[in-house]
Amino acid sequence: MVGVLAQRLVRKICDQCKSVVEATQSDSGDGIPSGFSFVGRGCTNCRQTGYRGRLGLFELMTINESIRTLIHKRASAAEIREAAQSAGMQLLRSDGIDKVSAE
């Protein structure tokens, strides 16, 4: 095994009816910049749903020697995750936050 990939598809806000709304930290969740958010108002392009298309979020854990050793020792998932993050693995949540911030 050389790696483990996790992926999630999330709905994308419609570009035709996307509008900016004021958001607070509690509205947007932990780690997402407060101050603004987007919402789809609904239009003929998205069939009044506010969403059009999907966006992939990804988390790739490449197996290096330290992770391989932890797996063989039957270490906990938390220990393996910590080792993977210190080796540069980006979490699904971080990938999502990056993609939201890029909009």
Side-chain angles (χ1 to χ4, degrees):
M1 175 171 30
V2 292
V4 179
L5 177 70
Q7 63 181 6
R8 299 290 183 274
L9 286 176
V10 294
R11 296 184 297 178
K12 188 175 177 186
I13 296 174
C14 177
D15 290 327
Q16 301 294 318
C17 63
K18 180 184 347 182
S19 61
V20 179
V21 294
E22 193 172 330
T24 64
Q25 187 71 23
S26 61
D27 289 340
S28 56
D30 294 332
I32 299 174
S34 62
F36 71 94
S37 183
F38 296 105
V39 65
R41 298 288 182 193
C43 65
T44 56
N45 185 49
C46 62
R47 298 181 187 173
Q48 305 303 324
T49 64
Y51 300 100
R52 174 101 180 166
R54 306 253 180 211
L55 183 65
L57 304 181
F58 303 97
E59 175 179 295
L60 176 63
M61 180 177 71
T62 54
I63 306 298
N64 58 23
E65 281 306 313
S66 64
I67 294 173
R68 185 171 282 115
T69 302
L70 288 171
I71 292 169
H72 286 295
K73 289 182 180 179
R74 297 183 181 263
S76 69
E79 291 174 299
I80 295 171
R81 181 183 207 151
E82 185 178 317
Q85 282 181 284
S86 65
M89 181 181 82
Q90 183 179 19
L91 300 177
L92 279 170
R93 182 178 189 85
S94 300
D95 189 35
I97 290 170
D98 290 347
K99 289 178 178 173
V100 166
S101 298
E103 286 289 316

